[in-house]
Amino acid sequence: MKADLKKLAVDLLPPLMVALVVAFWAFAPADWVKSTWVVIGVSSAITLIVLLLEVPLERHAGWRLNRREFFTDLFYVVLSATVISKATNFLAERPLDSLKQSLGIATPWAEQMPWLLQVALVVFLVEFGQYWMHRLMHNSTPFWLTHAPHHHITQLNAMKGAVGNPIELWLISLSVVALFDLNQSAALAGYSVMGVVSTFAHANVRSNPPLFYSFFFTTIRHHSLHHSVPYEDTRCNYGNSLIVLDRIFGTYKEGEASLVGQDDRRRLSIREQWLFPFMPLVEKFRARKGDRPTAAS
């Protein structure tokens, strides 16, 4: 009985954290909602808490975080929170907002929706775009080349969702939320919900949430299967946070994987991850250069 209660408590960790971040933004003072530092603090706290949970609640010993993985992952977490975030704002969100203003687009109905529905709308809008972008990346070679470095990771943990080629990290961050008039706290709550779900979906934590959560939200079981070693096995469970989209569009697959990676499961360095999309062109150039006749011939 005690063991069952302990397991239930562990399994309820993801939905409990989702509820906590929603409650935080629902009751946050206006100054906090407007503070970039509070947003960064909430995001950092989510990652840190789940990372700490990996110690007593380890799912797979082979995914255990070591010094090298920690500092590589930390680099990407900081990159995503700074450079990628700024690039998304400058190259996507601001132009969309300007387009909205110039065309006179207004969605007052969105801001008049109940607060929780606004949170749900943000999650849906972001995830719907990410689902199709993610699916494209697995079914189109040019896009796969940007996404493949994320699949060359050989273990999963709370920070791994931020690891990948910068082009892919930017593409997957795009959304149309800027076109909608929404309460800022609801938007932040939506992003925090996705942060919790995605972090747990990459985490080395033996939490298997009940059906009321796992039917709608992505879990480590769903996402570990997406990171399977055979390439064909990765073409499923595309939802970063909403696995229900896979259920709707026929790409859901049941199962779990403990071995993750691609090809020969060789871990790529940061340099290799950044150069990966361009390597076919580099190899083609090298081949042509090698075929050129020398002066002596």
Side-chain angles (χ1 to χ4, degrees), residues 195-211:
V196 170
V197 176
S198 180
T199 301
F200 269 110
H202 285 89
N204 188 14
V205 176
R206 59 173 183 271
S207 178
N208 297 301
L211 189 61

Side-chain angles (χ1 to χ4, degrees), residues 15 20 33 39-40 80 101 104 108 110 121 126 163 174 200 290:
L20 284 174
V33 173
V39 175
I40 293 173
S80 293
Q101 301 301 326
L121 178 61
V126 174
V163 176
L174 301 178
F200 269 110

Side-chain angles (χ1 to χ4, degrees), residues 271-291:
R271 180 177 180 274
E272 289 173 318
Q273 289 169 338
W274 287 39
L275 292 177
F276 195 93
F278 311 106
M279 289 312 296
L281 291 175
V282 172
E283 294 299 329
K284 191 174 181 179
F285 174 76
R286 286 175 178 170
R288 284 185 177 179
K289 190 176 180 181
D291 289 341

